[in-house]
């Protein structure tokens, strides 16, 4: 019989116990023993769950208190010298110092884990890095699991991906040299695992789903020659996920691994080739249950896919598995009692996915009748989802078909629009504004909680919010900002707020997914055709505008960001789903304009995040993503000023597509990188107006007027003053008023002082 195994389980806990424990520990409410107890308890719960699901292989080492990459860094002893730990055993304080920084040392940098919304801590490698094994933690977890009777399989990130994902400070150190230094530690690790009773190890090389070079492939071959000889009795699985291995498939499958795992959800086309190319002694692990999304699997079609493989390879050489670690899906859909009962049967979170593996395994060995019985519930849910009128709204289909090319275009070119807008808005040179949100105070969060739990009546809640908006407007007027915002106090989250009001979405109660450390996100679930039944923001904007004579920006989240930060249906192309969202946002844009908004901002914070892992696919994505923004935004009249905000720093390769958005004004993150990012503007003449963030809202530090003046002067080298705006680099919701007020005062003072001075010249 084919066996089933898992690649990784969500670690935050059913009730986000890990989050609570971490935050209590950081506040010193609990000590390290209590934190470790919670962690052990969670690992045991997760093992129990997986064991009860009849899995033949259960991952160990997938758990991390903060981040699995940080665990790897510690395991390999790759602690950056700047922390001054000099080869000592890493205790909890050191671990969290690396994750969160100390008064003397900033934390390790954080960046996105491939194309997921998970962020890992970037290892720092340089010529002085001395790798040294620190495997105690992993080995004791392995022993615990074995004592528990779990068929434990340690999971580690492979050496190639570890180095490719690290930041190497010394370009003079080639990959081959680094590998030479690193490999002995891996060899030692494998020997130690084997000595501790482990018989299998899963070595993840997710980088293989990206554009690896020939040199990197050669390095991989060398790595595997070494790894398999470390302990010949140890069975090694090479796990790849997040995409296809493409032209490298044959070469990778000829490595001397005992097993290969392929992501057949993202890249089903690999299967046929893989079955042929696999060497006669190796096993194939079929990643067929989607580890990146929350929909139930179509078991019938999976059986049709798996059976021929079993016929060709023999059952003992086939394993079934999720496509990747289940880290990227929430814990369990079983608790979503309040979710639309028609949609709920379509959902499979982590726990349900384990159930699917169990069912698949049982079905594969069963006769026809038992098989029909086993999958009948799944079959009807799949059919219901496929044919439901909830998912297919003919009016949306019709609207999509009637999109015309001119719907994506502003009526006149930027120069003409800018003139009309200038006459209408009469803004000073270097206009000052903010990105949208103001501090989400305890008072606001409490009121929202009371309203959500029905302790506070909607009417009272709305009165409260109107009061908040009025006071935020008064503050901005008093500070002397030129373009105001309503402050977003009514929004729990910039995506969920819209998803709650759009058709085609449901919001889960417990669908939390780890983003980094103790931080989790709860992506809305986009299950069907999207439409906007009613205006979503207009009344709040109208109230805000009624409190001031300065222009107040209408504030929307863009279609790509809504798509990117949701779990999205998998039965049609993402581009098409995004177009539907774009049409809904377009309705809102036009309603804001009709209601009198002279300036509308559409945030696309996640535009860059959606970039596919393979360069060859990026152009296609960028084209449809920008087109969706244009569809959402560009229906407005020339005199209406359109803003967009994007918060990330790697701007260079995106600047041309961003210009194609044709927003009148964009605001971008710049202050953290000291305007380095404006280099993009040197090589490319960005045609419209730009507000490079002059104040880093991610830090509690209050910038001085002089600093901001300096940044504005730098900006003037790249962008003519007539097209330069002055703003922070992101929304202010995570900051307190005691930080925001002086920082904005300094920002406004800086703008005034630069206005009064001559234009800087290179
Ligand atoms: N308008 C949003 C805010 O100010 C933008 C947030 C973001 O870009 N992440 O909070
Ligand atoms: Zn931002």
């Amino acid at each position: 019989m084919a066996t089933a195994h898992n690649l990784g389980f969500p670690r935050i806990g059913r009730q986000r116990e890990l989050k609570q424990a971490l935050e209590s520990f950081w506040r010193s409410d609990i000590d390290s023993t209590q934190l470790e107890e919670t962690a052990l308890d969670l690992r045991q719960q997760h093992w129990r769950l997986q064991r009860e699901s009849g899995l033949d292989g259960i991952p160990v080492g997938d758990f991390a208190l903060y981040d699995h990459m940080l665990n790897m860094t510690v395991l390999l002893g790759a602690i950056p010298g700047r922390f001054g730990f000099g080869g000592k055993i890493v205790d909890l304080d050191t671990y969290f110092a690396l994750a969160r920084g100390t008064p003397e040392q900033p934390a390790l940098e954080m960046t996105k884990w491939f194309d997921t919304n998970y962020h890992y801590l970037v290892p720092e490698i340089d010529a002085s890095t001395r790798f040294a094994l620190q495997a105690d933690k992993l080995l004791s977890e392995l022993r615990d699991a074995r004592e528990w009777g779990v068929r434990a399989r340690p999971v580690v990130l492979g050496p190639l991906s570890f180095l490719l994902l690290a930041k190497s400070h010394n370009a003079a150190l080639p990959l081959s040299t680094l590998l030479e230094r690193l490999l002995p530690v891996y060899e030692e690790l494998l020997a130690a695992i084997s000595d501790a009773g482990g018989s299998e190890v899963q070595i993840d090389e997710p980088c293989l789903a990206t554009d690896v070079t020939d040199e990197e492939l050669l390095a991989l071959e060398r790595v595997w020659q070494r790894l398999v000889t470390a302990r010949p009795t140890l069975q090694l699985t090479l796990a790849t996920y997040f995409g296809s291995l493409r032209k490298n498939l044959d070469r990778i499958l000829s490595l001397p691994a005992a097993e290969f795992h392929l992501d057949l959800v993202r890249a089903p086309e690999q299967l046929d080739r893989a079955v042929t190319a696999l060497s006669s002694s190796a096993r194939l692990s079929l990643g067929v249950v989607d580890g990146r999304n929350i929909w139930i699997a179509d078991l019938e079609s999976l059986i049709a896919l798996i059976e021929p493989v079993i016929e060709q390879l023999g059952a003992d050489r086939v394993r079934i598995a999720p496509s990747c670690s289940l880290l990227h899906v929430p814990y369990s859909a079983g608790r979503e009692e309040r979710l639309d009962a028609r949609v709920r049967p379509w959902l499979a979170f982590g726990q349900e996915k384990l159930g699917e593996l169990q069912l698949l395994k049982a079905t594969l060995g069963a006769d026809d009748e038992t098989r029909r019985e086993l999958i009948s519930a799944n079959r009807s849910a799949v059919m219901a989802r496929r044919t439901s009128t909830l998912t297919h709204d003919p009016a949306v289909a019709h609207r999509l078909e009637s999109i015309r090319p001119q719907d994506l275009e502003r009526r006149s070119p930027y120069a003409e629009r800018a003139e009309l807008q200038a006459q209408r808005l009469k803004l000073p040179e270097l206009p000052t504004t903010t990105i949208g949100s103001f501090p989400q105070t305890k008072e606001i969060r409490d009121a929202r909680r009371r309203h959500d739990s029905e302790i506070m009546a909607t009417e009272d809640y709305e009165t409260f919010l109107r009061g908040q908006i009025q006071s935020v407007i008064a503050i901005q007027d008093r500070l002397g900002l030129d373009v105001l915002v309503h402050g977003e106090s009514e929004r729990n989250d910039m995506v969920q707020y819209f998803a709650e009001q759009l058709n085609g979405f449901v919001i889960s109660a417990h669908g939390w997914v780890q983003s980094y450390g103790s931080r989790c996100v709860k992506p809305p679930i986009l299950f069907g055709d999207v439409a906007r039944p009613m205006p979503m923001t207009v009344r709040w904007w109208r109230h805000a505008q009624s409190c001031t004579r300065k222009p107040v920006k209408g504030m929307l989240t863009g279609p790509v960001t809504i798509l990117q930060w949701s779990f999205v249906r998998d039965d049609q192309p993402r581009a098409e789903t995004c177009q539907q969202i774009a049409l809904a946002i377009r309705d809102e844009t036009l309603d804001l304009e009709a209601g009198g908004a002279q300036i509308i901002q559409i945030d696309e914070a996640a535009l860059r995040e959606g970039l596919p892992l393979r360069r060859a696919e990026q152009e296609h994505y960028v084209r449809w993503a920008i087109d969706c923004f244009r569809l959402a935004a560009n229906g407005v009249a020339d005199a209406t000023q359109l803003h967009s905000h994007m918060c990330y720093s790697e701007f260079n390769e995106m600047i041309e597509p961003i210009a194609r958005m044709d927003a009148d004004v964009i605001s971008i993150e710049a202050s953290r990188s000291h305007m380095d990012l404006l280099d993009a503007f040197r090589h490319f003449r960005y045609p419209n107006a730009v507000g490079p963030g002059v104040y880093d809202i991610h830090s509690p530090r209050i910038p001085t007027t002089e600093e901001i003046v300096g940044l504005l002067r730098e900006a003037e080298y790249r962008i003519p003053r007539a097209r330069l705006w002055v703003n922070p680099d992101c929304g202010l919701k995570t900051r307190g008023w005691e930080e925001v007020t002086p920082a904005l005062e300094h920002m406004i003072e800086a703008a005034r002082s630069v206005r009064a001075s001559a234009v800087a010249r290179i």
Side-chain angles (χ1 to χ4, degrees):
M1 198 162 64
T3 51
H5 63 172
N6 187 19
L7 271 60
F9 196 73
R11 50 209 177 210
I12 205 75
R14 186 178 164 87
Q15 322 260 20
R16 284 182 292 156
E17 293 90 336
L18 182 58
K19 175 190 178 66
Q20 267 81 43
L22 280 171
E23 291 171 2
S24 309
F25 176 72
W26 295 332
R27 281 194 307 267
S28 302
D29 290 349
I30 61 170
D31 61 20
S32 58
T33 318
Q34 287 164 296
L35 176 63
E36 296 283 17
E37 269 167 19
T38 306
L40 177 63
D41 196 46
L42 284 171
R43 286 196 294 269
Q44 294 183 344
Q45 277 182 39
H46 303 164
W47 291 334
R48 185 181 315 127
L49 205 67
Q50 296 178 82
R51 193 175 56 185
E52 282 166 6
S53 305
L55 289 184
D56 304 288
I58 294 175
V60 170
D62 56 335
F63 185 87
L65 278 176
Y66 197 97
D67 167 36
H68 57 261
M69 186 59 134
L70 179 58
N71 283 24
M72 263 331 278
T73 301
V74 172
L75 179 74
L76 301 171
I79 315 296
R82 65 187 178 89
F83 284 89
F85 290 111
K88 284 189 293 244
I89 294 291
V90 174
D91 57 11
L92 268 190
D93 288 343
T94 316
Y95 184 82
F96 289 126
L98 292 163
R100 309 174 75 222
T102 63
E104 297 78 37
Q105 283 300 329
L108 296 180
E109 253 176 53
M110 206 163 57
T111 196
K112 276 164 67 73
W113 179 247
F114 297 88
D115 58 354
T116 72
N117 281 332
Y118 180 81
H119 300 75
Y120 73 92
L121 291 164
V122 184
E124 292 171 18
I125 311 283
D126 62 24
S128 67
T129 308
R130 295 279 168 267
F131 300 107
L133 188 65
Q134 291 207 5
D136 295 353
K137 207 165 146 26
L138 179 65
L139 296 176
S140 85
E141 284 177 23
L142 175 60
R143 280 188 213 101
D144 283 350
R146 287 170 52 81
E147 267 168 37
W148 252 64
V150 165
R151 283 191 234 173
R153 184 163 84 163
V155 185
V156 293
L157 186 67
L160 182 68
S161 292
F162 180 78
L163 290 177
L164 293 182
L165 293 174
K167 188 163 129 180
S168 181
H169 283 298
N170 190 342
L173 271 190
L175 182 65
S176 55
T177 313
L178 287 172
L179 274 176
E180 267 330 297
R181 294 187 184 178
L182 184 54
L183 275 175
V185 183
Y186 272 87
E187 288 169 328
E188 209 185 314
L189 171 67
L190 295 182
I193 289 174
S194 169
D195 292 345
S199 55
E200 287 189 45
V201 181
Q202 172 187 324
I203 298 179
D204 287 0
E205 288 286 8
C207 278
L208 297 177
T210 66
D211 296 320
V212 281
T213 62
D214 218 47
E215 186 208 345
E216 288 156 3
L217 271 181
L218 278 169
L220 182 78
E221 284 165 350
R222 224 175 24 252
V223 164
W224 276 82
Q225 297 303 343
R226 295 268 298 261
L227 294 185
V228 287
T229 47
R231 270 302 156 95
T233 50
L234 205 58
Q235 304 252 317
L236 303 185
T237 293
L238 171 55
T240 67
Y241 41 83
F242 298 156
S244 167
L245 305 181
R246 303 244 169 126
K247 61 175 177 23
N248 302 328
L249 180 70
D250 283 33
R251 226 169 126 183
I252 291 169
L253 290 183
S254 66
L255 293 171
E259 178 179 325
F260 296 90
H261 173 82
L262 300 178
D263 183 338
L264 298 177
V265 174
R266 281 267 175 103
E269 69 283 358
Q270 305 185 97
L271 182 58
D272 288 348
R273 182 74 216 141
V275 171
T276 334
L278 193 73
S279 77
S280 59
S281 57
R283 285 190 302 268
L284 195 58
S285 161
L286 312 177
V288 288
V289 168
D290 194 348
R292 293 287 302 272
N293 214 333
I294 43 70
W295 307 109
I296 48 168
D298 176 353
L299 296 184
E300 198 171 21
S301 61
L302 290 188
I303 292 165
L305 180 126
I306 299 166
E307 272 193 330
V309 183
I310 294 184
E311 255 162 52
Q312 287 183 66
L313 298 181
D316 56 341
R317 288 175 64 208
V318 178
R319 285 188 158 176
I320 47 175
S323 58
C324 59
S325 163
L326 299 177
L327 175 66
H328 311 290
V329 294
Y331 195 96
S332 160
R335 295 193 301 156
E336 298 295 335
E337 303 94 7
R338 296 213 309 206
L339 205 134
D340 188 326
R342 296 166 301 181
V343 177
R344 209 175 47 178
W346 305 345
L347 302 181
F349 295 178
Q351 191 172 353
E352 291 75 22
K353 286 180 193 289
L354 297 179
E356 290 184 335
L357 286 172
Q358 186 172 26
L359 206 53
L360 257 181
K361 191 177 134 181
T363 311
L364 284 167
D367 58 60
D368 283 357
E369 200 183 318
T370 324
R371 170 176 292 195
R372 260 195 304 279
E373 249 165 57
L374 283 172
I375 64 164
S376 81
N378 171 268
R379 198 162 177 248
S380 30
V382 168
M383 288 309 284
R385 181 175 169 223
R386 201 172 288 157
T387 53
S388 169
T389 51
L390 283 176
T391 33
H392 304 282
D393 176 349
V396 174
H398 177 72
R399 252 194 107 183
L400 231 57
E401 274 161 28
S402 28
I403 298 171
R404 303 159 307 166
Q406 62 265 41
D407 295 339
L408 276 62
E409 307 281 343
R410 294 294 290 268
R411 272 152 242 183
S412 313
Y414 169 73
E416 287 170 37
R417 300 189 320 251
E419 211 161 293
L420 285 173
Q421 292 162 17
Q423 284 164 18
R424 187 183 190 198
L425 294 165
K426 301 199 172 39
L427 297 171
E429 242 183 356
L430 297 169
T432 54
T433 190
T434 60
I435 304 303
S437 57
F438 269 88
Q440 288 260 337
T441 57
K442 182 169 181 316
E443 197 190 359
I444 295 175
R445 288 197 307 266
D446 282 348
R448 182 178 306 134
R449 202 170 318 121
R450 291 211 306 279
H451 177 244
D452 285 348
S453 47
E454 292 171 21
I455 300 169
M456 190 183 209
T458 298
E459 207 184 306
D460 297 336
Y461 180 55
E462 299 209 338
T463 307
F464 166 81
L465 290 175
R466 273 195 297 276
Q468 287 292 320
I469 291 174
Q470 191 171 359
S471 98
V472 162
I473 294 282
I475 293 169
Q476 296 173 81
D477 261 330
R478 202 164 55 236
L479 286 167
L481 284 156
D482 300 308
V483 171
L484 312 194
V485 295
H486 77 289
E488 303 181 23
S489 54
E490 82 289 13
R491 303 187 186 176
N492 41 15
D493 171 90
M494 67 185 282
V495 170
Q496 185 177 331
Y497 178 76
F498 291 93
E500 277 171 357
Q501 303 185 68
L502 291 169
N503 295 348
F505 281 92
V506 287
I507 311 293
S508 70
H510 310 284
W512 296 99
V513 180
Q514 190 177 17
S515 169
Y516 65 90
S518 69
R519 294 285 278 268
C520 301
V521 292
K522 186 155 68 70
I525 297 169
L526 191 166
F527 67 90
D529 285 345
V530 177
R532 186 205 66 152
M534 272 189 316
M536 304 181 282
T537 64
V538 180
R539 64 198 175 106
W540 299 114
W541 172 82
R542 193 174 275 137
H543 169 62
Q545 187 63 81
S546 76
C547 303
T548 178
R549 293 165 60 171
K550 297 259 179 75
V552 177
K553 291 191 266 195
M555 190 62 61
L556 304 174
T557 301
V560 185
T561 302
I562 295 181
L563 181 87
Q564 217 38 52
W565 289 349
S566 300
F567 282 121
V568 173
R569 64 193 291 184
D570 57 357
D571 58 347
Q572 64 183 25
R574 284 170 77 82
E576 196 175 310
T577 306
C578 197
Q579 267 189 326
Q580 296 183 358
I581 310 173
L583 285 172
I585 298 297
R586 182 184 179 93
D587 292 345
E588 189 70 13
T589 310
L590 295 178
D591 277 350
L592 277 169
E593 181 182 51
Q598 301 179 341
I599 307 185
I600 298 166
Q601 177 175 313
I602 305 181
D603 294 331
E604 282 293 20
L607 183 67
R608 193 180 180 285
E609 288 183 21
L611 268 186
L613 295 174
R614 298 273 189 181
R615 270 187 292 279
E617 284 161 18
Q618 293 179 350
E619 202 185 311
H620 172 67
Y621 161 77
V622 167
R623 190 163 347 105
W624 66 252
I626 301 285
D627 278 350
C628 283
F629 175 86
R630 284 151 45 99
L631 181 60
N634 287 351
V636 295
D638 287 340
T640 301
Q641 189 169 74
L642 248 166
H643 291 217
S644 184
H645 165 68
M646 282 153 279
C647 41
Y648 38 79
S649 40
E650 295 109 346
F651 224 84
N652 291 21
E653 81 266 35
M654 283 297 274
I655 188 70
E656 290 193 47
I658 286 170
R660 210 167 66 76
M661 287 162 73
D662 201 18
D664 296 302
V665 183
I666 54 169
S667 59
I668 53 179
E669 183 176 303
S671 55
R672 258 196 289 189
S673 51
H674 292 281
M675 301 276 159
D676 289 352
L677 156 163
L678 291 178
D679 276 354
F681 292 80
R682 189 168 48 181
H683 306 301
F684 173 76
R685 288 182 65 81
Y686 183 77
N688 304 3
V690 187
V694 290
Y695 138 41
D696 176 9
I697 66 94
H698 305 90
S699 149
R701 241 186 102 253
I702 296 161
T704 64
T705 307
E706 295 67 40
E707 257 172 70
I708 302 180
V709 167
L711 291 174
L712 284 173
R713 292 237 167 266
E714 273 182 62
E716 273 196 326
Y717 283 126
R718 306 269 184 266
I719 302 151
R721 189 181 284 187
R723 288 195 272 118
L724 200 56
W725 281 63
V726 181
N727 46 258
D729 70 354
C730 197
L732 302 167
K733 61 178 165 242
T734 55
R735 297 264 72 95
W737 279 106
E738 68 293 352
E739 297 154 347
V740 164
T741 314
L744 290 180
E745 274 166 8
H746 296 170
M747 185 185 91
I748 290 161
E749 222 172 278
R752 286 190 181 136
S753 130
V754 177
R755 267 174 212 155
S757 67
V759 176
R761 289 264 168 268
I762 306 169

